[in-house]
Every structure is written in C-alpha cells, then in structure tokens.
Amino acid sequence: MATTSTTGSTLLQPLSNAVQLPIDQVNFVVCQLFALLAAVWFRTYLRSSKTSSFIRHVVATLLGLYLALFCFGWYALHFLVQSGISYCIMIIIGVENMHNPMMIITQKITSLAYEIHDGMFRKDEELTSSQRGLAVRRMPSLLEYLSYNCNFMGILAGPLCSYRDYITFIEGRAHPRTPPGAAGKEDLPGDRAEPSPNVAVIQKLFVCGLSLFFHLTISKTLPVEYNIDEHFQATASWPTKVVYLYISLLAARPKYYFAWTLADAINNAAGFGFRGYDENGTARWDLISNLRIQQIEMSTSFKMFLDNWNIQTALWLKRVCYERASLSPTIQTFVLSAIWHGVYPGYYLTFLTGVVMTLAARAMRNNFRHYFLEPPQLKLLYDILTWVVTQVAISYTVVPFVLLSVKPSFMFYSSWYYCLHIAGILVLLLLPVKKTQRGKTTHENVPLSRSEKCDERGNSLGQNSFSTTNNVCNQNQEIASRHSSLKQ
C-alpha cells in the first residue's frame, strides 16, 4: 500500500497499512491511547497534593504539544503561535471588544475571553448565574493560558471545559465529597478526598470498544451515500427510504461516540471531570462529558437530541452566542455553529435546515404536547410518535453534514421533495410561536412542568427520564457546586 499523505509522523505507517486505515486516523488513536496512559501516570505521580501547580501545568502543556507535533507535524506550532497572539490581544484590549470580527476560532480562546470579560469588565448584576459562576476575575498567566489550551488531555479531541474548572483541577481544589441529600453532614476540608475514577474510566473504555467495533464493521456496510444512489432512489419504496435513512445515520454515529468517550475517559483518568455525587451517593464523572448516548438514541424532541449531542459545544454556543445575542438568537447560534465547523457547503445546509427544524419542533411541542400528558397510555403513544418523527427529522437534517458537497446534498433533498423543509415552514406559518424568554437570573430559562422541577441543588425531581430537564438540572447542579467551592 502506498504511503498516504500526512503532515504528522509517518512512524506508524506500517500499522496503518496493516489495519488499512489512513495514517492520520492511526496517529490519532495511538496518541489518544498514549494520552490515556499518561493521564494515569499524571494522576498517580503528579497529584496536586504533592506536586506544585506549576509542575502540573508544565508537564500537561509539554505532553500536549508533543502529541500535537506527532499528529500534525510542524503545523502544530500554529496552535502555540495562535495561543500566544491571542493571549497578547486579550491583555492589550482587555477583552472589551469581543463583539468585533477579532473573534478567535477556537472554543477555549473565545470561552476564556468572554469569561475574563464577564469577570473583569462587567458588573455582577449584569450577568446570568452561569456567567457569574464561570467568570474569571484575574488575567491568567501565560503558563496557565497555554496549559488550558494545549494540555495533553484535550488537545486532540477536547472536550471543551471552562477555565475555572481546569484551574480547579490543576490546583487540586476538590469538589464537595458529601453526597447530596446527606442530612446533617457538613463539607469539611478533611472530608473532600476525590473518589477513584477507575470505574468510570473502565465503563467509558467499554463504550469506546463497542463503538469502534460497530464503526469498523456495521458502519461501512451502511454508507450514507447510498441514500442518493440512483438505483436505490428509483426502486426503493418510501418506507424503505425512511428506514435506510435512519439506519445509515445511526451507523454514522459510533465514530463520534468513540472519539468523544475516549477523550472523556482520558480526562477522568487524569482526575479531571468529577462533578460530585448524585442523590444516591454515586460519584459522577460527567463534568465535561460530551454526549449521553441513551438520551441521544431515545430523543423525543429535536432539542433533546441537541442537548445531549456534543454537549460542550452546545454549551459553548449558548454561552458565547445564544445568551448574548439581541436579535434572533437561534438563527445566530446555528450560523455561528456552521462557520465554526468549517467551509464545506454541507455544514451550512445542515445548520440552516436545523434552524427550521428546531423552530418548527418548538412550535409543535408548545402547541400540542400538553394535550398528551394524561393518561399514561396517551403519553406513551405521544412519546413513540415524537421519537419516530425526531429521529427521521434529525437524519434528514444532517445528511449534508456527512455528504459535505452541494450537489449530492441537493440530490438527497430533491429525492425527498424537500418535504420536511416544506412541513417545517408550514408549521411556522400556521402555528403561533412563543418567543423564548432569556432572563438573567437562571442558567437556562426552560419552562418545567410540575413533574419536572429541580431542587435547590439542581437535582431533577421529575419522573420523565427522557426529559431535557435533566440536562438543565445537571447544569444548575454544576453551578451550585462551583458556588459552594468558592465559599470555602
């Protein structure tokens, strides 16, 4: 097999030839596995209790730069140069003009810029509760900044984390140990030891193994491109087209499950990602998790799917765009997402379609859902119907994201007669649409039904396991834990 083109190392080319995968993919997987071992070593020998934060910053940064150099070659210097320039810009302009075209493309840089802006240049009463919890009150040092952007745990696949969470991890300021609901127990400094992440890491590596297996076997037998095959379009019945559309997009997801879950496991293995305890006293290692597979596959609304898919990117879009946009926040957020993903036309087609689907789904839910809450049998029927519609709508929307180019994307939509586009537009024209309320006193103002309340720590008290309320409650609990640690 001929050597494939890569800007990174070709040391693993023989392995690439043996497994018949591109060298870039092999480099990525091997580097992530190396990062996993490095994370175990980092947590074992460079614990915050016996190692200074300076050493932890230096080691995390150097290991990250090495992995970037191995995967991307000297192009990796771009990360370092870009980070350095961005750091100088933030110091010079004080991050007061982040509305200008000087927006930095990386999530971490833009997140940190807004967090510094919120912490140093805005009054507390102007901030939402989440913005106050994430605000950075002093300018980071250059080492802290480089460590946050280039650490080995997240340089290749993320996930995004807030600057304050990362610094808390490096400096060893642990989350409260006492499980929620443990009456009469105080969070004493001596009772704040962090639990072992081993169980969480093993579980996530098991998910990685299954995802990789499905990607290497089933995914290749169900290509998304077959949806635009001329013979398939001419001979397949409509039920067959719908079923294959869903199955082919379902088969395309395991590669994302693998990459994001492995990245999460790497961070956990290093000791990063502990959120605290749930109401049952079980340790939660999902502070920076990027997806919830069960909720994704059982989504009964467009919003529920988006809330559980690429979670940290969704939070980034909400924090830097949706919460701050004064006009059409949903449209602006989808446009920013398309720009951030890259230049392929398929990205823009997907996100523009996503605007219509999201607004139409919101209108349908607001106008009809309350008619189907009782009795339970009717609610179950509603959940099944909305699950089918949601999965088909999601699959229909993201086909251009996979196909990338304009021509095949329009071939697919035209073969479906743009039916969901037309249906979405008709829904928006015919049904009353409630404007989204975006107040400044809550992390996310999502109306909750009586069975979907949160307690004072943000724990869900509802019974609907498929509700997006759980995501909102989890974020509220994250904020509550941050405020608790700040008071200590």
Side-chain angles (χ1 to χ4, degrees), residues 38 67 72 88 146 174 200 271 275 375 382 480:
L67 294 179
F72 307 112
C88 294
L146 292 176
R275 189 197 287 270
Y382 174 84

Side-chain angles (χ1 to χ4, degrees), residues 169-389:
F169 156 69
I170 289 292
E171 295 180 352
R173 292 182 273 121
H175 290 264
R177 175 183 175 87
T178 306
K185 295 184 179 180
E186 296 184 2
D187 180 31
L188 301 176
D191 191 37
R192 284 160 39 102
E194 183 183 275
S196 170
N198 293 342
V199 173
V201 172
I202 291 172
Q203 290 174 343
K204 290 174 183 180
L205 291 179
F206 178 73
V207 172
C208 288
L210 288 179
S211 301
L212 184 61
F213 172 77
F214 283 118
H215 173 64
L216 295 177
T217 56
I218 298 176
S219 298
K220 291 187 176 182
T221 65
L222 298 167
V224 175
E225 291 76 9
Y226 192 63
N227 284 285
I228 58 174
D229 180 80
E230 293 182 0
H231 178 73
F232 176 75
Q233 290 182 348
T235 59
S237 63
W238 267 105
T240 301
K241 290 181 179 180
V242 172
V243 171
Y244 185 80
L245 173 67
Y246 167 68
I247 293 177
S248 62
L249 270 298
L250 176 66
R253 291 201 276 268
K255 64 181 180 181
Y256 298 101
Y257 294 165
F258 168 76
W260 289 339
T261 305
L262 179 56
D264 196 15
I266 291 169
N267 282 272
N268 292 170
F272 187 28
F274 177 56
R275 189 197 287 270
Y277 293 86
D278 64 16
E279 61 274 12
N280 299 318
T282 303
R284 296 177 56 185
W285 286 88
D286 61 348
L287 178 64
I288 55 173
S289 293
N290 223 6
L291 76 168
R292 303 183 185 97
I293 297 176
Q294 181 180 356
Q295 284 85 340
I296 288 171
E297 302 303 342
M298 299 300 294
S299 293
T300 57
S301 71
F302 212 90
K303 182 182 185 302
M304 182 177 176
F305 187 99
L306 296 179
D307 281 347
N308 292 285
W309 172 270
N310 205 355
I311 296 170
Q312 302 307 320
T313 293
L315 289 174
W316 169 68
L317 290 168
K318 185 171 79 69
R319 290 166 181 166
V320 305
C321 182
Y322 187 86
E323 288 184 338
R324 303 172 193 271
S326 58
L327 179 66
S328 302
T330 298
I331 295 176
Q332 288 194 41
T333 301
F334 273 101
V335 171
L336 173 59
S337 184
I339 294 172
W340 175 75
H341 274 88
V343 298
Y344 286 108
Y347 296 157
Y348 294 85
L349 289 174
T350 284
F351 291 113
L352 290 176
T353 302
V355 172
V356 177
M357 296 297 133
T358 299
L359 296 178
R362 182 186 300 167
M364 290 287 291
R365 184 178 179 86
N366 289 339
N367 283 279
F368 296 109
R369 182 176 182 271
H370 55 279
Y371 293 116
F372 296 90
L373 296 179
E374 298 291 344
Q377 294 84 355
L378 186 61
K379 179 63 167 60
L380 177 62
L381 178 62
Y382 174 84
D383 286 342
I384 294 174
L385 179 61
T386 53
W387 177 82
V388 172
V389 173

Side-chain angles (χ1 to χ4, degrees), residues 114-144:
Y114 273 117
E115 289 162 7
I116 295 173
H117 175 68
D118 291 339
M120 298 179 64
F121 299 97
R122 296 179 68 190
K123 299 178 181 179
D124 276 0
E125 55 268 24
E126 297 175 348
L127 307 177
T128 65
S129 58
S130 66
Q131 289 168 353
R132 282 193 295 271
L134 296 171
V136 176
R137 307 294 179 177
R138 68 168 180 85
M139 188 65 66
S141 69
L142 180 59
L143 177 59
E144 291 171 332

